[in-house]
Amino acid sequence: MPLQISDRVRALGQQAQRELAEQFDRIDEIAAFNTEKVLAAFQKHKVAESFFQGTTGYGYDDLGREALGEIYADIFSTEDAMVRINFVNGTHAIASALYGVLRPGDVMVSAIGAPYDTLQGVIGITGDGNGSLKEFGIAYRQVDLTPENTPDLPGIVQAVQEPNVKAVLIQRSRGYATRASLSVETIGTICQAIRQANPHVWILVDNCYGEFVETIEPTQVGADLIMGSLIKNPGGGLAPMGGYVAGRRELVESTAMRMTVPGIGRECGASLGNNRALYQGLFLAPHTVAQATKTAVFAAKVMELLGYCTDPTSQEIRHDIIQMIHLEKPEAVEKFCKGIQAGAPVDSYVTPVPWDMPGYDCPVIMAAGAFIQGASIELSADAPMRPPYTVYMQGGLTFESGKLGILLAADELLREARR
């Protein structure tokens, strides 16, 4: 039995897809380039069946785990990388890097305004400060965006010249901000300006949602370390958990000492039989990211045809997989999320409602019927329930299924309008 999608919305979807042929071709070219890069890294490191065997306990001599780090280092053009299921999410990987790099008395600068909500408790901006960087005597500075919502290069240059600045954090995706996501080229420009102003500072990039969307990564344009989640882009929809860091060897080592303990670092950490999924997910990642990117572009086009404002628009080149849709009313946000949930392969019968999610300063609604809990590479939509009532949509393991989710969301909005 087909899904309950009106003829009007199906026709709208057909129109949108016809008008997106050029954008889809560009996305496919990027996927082909990145697929070749990943395949070359697999072959260089002679990936074998034996790499997929899991370890238990301490996890010593896990050949597959160590080789996967080397493959990530090659793909991201870095000295070193560490890929671990021990990271519970992207925030954990980023926080481990910050705690690993920074020491009491150091200053950390956020170059692109406030970081993502869940990092604010890590820094000590929000929450009771228990265990935060602030509690450990690490100071925080923030360079806000310009009135045009773009990076403030002069402000960044001035901030990094302050004595004791040790690290600068750049967030590639927009998070719940309204600014544009950063292109790798823009990140390179920021890195160059920072390096000229203070050659001794470490540049760390939160790379979540951006991997494989372009043909280059931030570590190829000046970033010292990038961090991300395996249940987003690089896990390809198969990784069941985990995160990664990649960059300068000394920074990867410092992160490892924080992830576990000094003296142990990366030597321990059993893979528990997950290596196969991590390898296969990485191999599929360029293609899967392309599917998610097409889904985002399609969503923008459909919603534009319905009269909503989108950011980025359906015609803009993408730098991450996130799509903003300005719905303006809380009821519209709930309807859109209901439609996305109805298009999920898992828990499609559930109606998402706003709730007080840990790490956020207001109720958040999340639609995510995913095979992997919280996997943002799978079709999902979420929004903080506060003005301007903008929904953030991402993911789509296949464009075909992602498209259906978008059409169901559009139909839900139109059904409400007809009442």
Side-chain angles (χ1 to χ4, degrees), residues 49-71:
E49 175 72 22
S50 59
F51 287 9
F52 306 149
Q53 305 308 310
T55 52
T56 59
Y58 295 136
Y60 288 130
D61 302 320
D62 193 320
L63 299 179
R65 183 193 66 199
E66 297 309 312
L68 188 59
E70 295 170 1
I71 290 169

Side-chain angles (χ1 to χ4, degrees), residues 25-107:
D25 286 345
R26 181 172 59 243
I27 293 166
D28 286 338
E29 289 175 4
I30 294 170
F33 179 92
N34 286 326
T35 295
E36 184 172 351
K37 180 166 59 175
V38 170
L39 178 59
F42 272 54
Q43 294 181 352
K44 174 184 174 181
H45 292 278
K46 295 182 171 59
V47 173
E49 175 72 22
S50 59
F51 287 9
F52 306 149
Q53 305 308 310
T55 52
T56 59
Y58 295 136
Y60 288 130
D61 302 320
D62 193 320
L63 299 179
R65 183 193 66 199
E66 297 309 312
L68 188 59
E70 295 170 1
I71 290 169
Y72 265 71
D74 272 2
I75 291 170
F76 293 128
S77 299
T78 61
E79 293 178 350
D80 201 359
M82 180 174 63
V83 186
R84 295 301 170 96
I85 62 170
N86 308 66
F87 290 121
V88 300
N89 53 25
T91 299
H92 184 198
I94 298 164
S96 295
L98 293 174
Y99 281 105
V101 170
L102 295 163
R103 298 292 182 269
D106 288 342
V107 175

Side-chain angles (χ1 to χ4, degrees), residues 26 42 56 59 110 120 126 134 138 141 150 181 194 205 244 247 267 279 299 306 317-318 325 327 367 372:
R26 181 172 59 243
F42 272 54
T56 59
S110 178
Q120 295 184 23
T126 61
K134 181 179 179 180
I138 297 166
R141 304 288 184 269
T150 58
S181 299
I194 293 170
V205 175
Y244 76 91
E267 297 303 318
Y279 274 90
L306 288 176
I317 294 176
R318 301 295 164 131
I325 302 167
L327 295 172
I372 306 297

